[in-house]
Each structure stands twice: as structure tokens, then as C-alpha cells.
Amino acid sequence: MSEPPADPPVGIPVDSDAGGDDGVAIRVARSGGIAGMTRRWSVQPSGGDAAHWIVLVEQCPWDEKVPHGTGADRYSWRIEVRIRRERHEQVIPEEHLLGPWRALVDAVQEADAGTTRI
């Protein structure tokens, strides 16, 4: 069985010049579980909405090392963010998706409600 193709990078290309716009793009993917399926949610806010998302992103401890998960068949969350030319990426086991991480994931899922892709 071959590895599935990698997802394209989030929203705004690395070499994009956002021209004064905040250029926010956030993608969340949940994989694992018994079925091993991946579900994805994303948001690319613009204008005044971007400030709210930037606050959510900045509250997350991107530089902290996340502990490994325990147990079989657990979900794993991949969170990718791009604000202007700055990019953050973190993989978090379900049991460590707490506090600001949970707030960010919940907000993305709510914003992308009804358009979830499997």
C-alpha cells in the first residue's frame, strides 16, 4: 500500500506578497481512529475577520514540544497556519489537544461547517 499524496500547502504561497492584507490561512486535519480516515477543515479569512484568527493562532504554543500520544487507534491533529509569509505547523495527539489548540481547532471546524472534506 502506498503513502497517500501530501496535501498542498495551506492557502497563501510562501512567496506571496500579501500587500498589506493579513493573508491568513489555516488548515486542520484529523487522522487516525479505528477507520484511519482523514478529515479536513480550513479557513482563509480576509479583511477585519483576520484579526480574530491571528489572536487564536498567537495563543498557541508553537515552539513547545508536544508529547507523544498513547494507545492505539487515537486521533492525531495536524494544524497548519500561514500568516503573511510566516508559517506554523504542529501535529498533536488527541489527548493533548487542549486549551488554545482546542480553541483554534474548534473555531476552524465551526467556520468550515458543512464543507468538511474527507
Side-chain angles (χ1 to χ4, degrees):
M1 182 181 243
S2 65
E3 188 77 20
D7 290 333
V10 226
I12 303 146
V14 174
D15 60 353
S16 171
D17 181 4
D21 186 79
D22 286 319
V24 178
I26 304 169
R27 183 175 65 205
V28 172
R30 183 192 72 193
S31 60
I34 294 171
M37 303 205 46
T38 299
R39 296 187 67 179
R40 294 177 181 85
W41 298 265
S42 62
V43 64
Q44 194 166 346
S46 59
D49 291 339
H52 163 75
W53 292 97
I54 290 171
V55 169
L56 286 174
V57 168
E58 288 177 345
Q59 291 175 346
C60 294
W62 295 99
D63 295 329
E64 288 183 17
K65 184 174 179 171
V66 178
H68 292 287
T70 58
D73 299 326
R74 303 284 181 169
Y75 289 121
S76 179
W77 295 84
R78 176 182 214 75
I79 304 167
E80 296 179 53
V81 174
R82 185 164 297 140
I83 300 174
R84 295 186 188 99
R85 294 178 184 210
E86 185 177 342
R87 183 176 178 161
H88 299 286
E89 186 174 334
Q90 188 67 268
V91 176
I92 304 171
E94 177 77 21
E95 69 239 39
H96 299 293
L97 190 71
L98 306 167
W101 294 117
R102 173 54 74 183
L104 179 60
V105 166
D106 288 348
V108 172
Q109 287 178 312
E110 184 177 327
D112 195 17
T115 59
T116 301
R117 293 164 297 281
I118 294 177

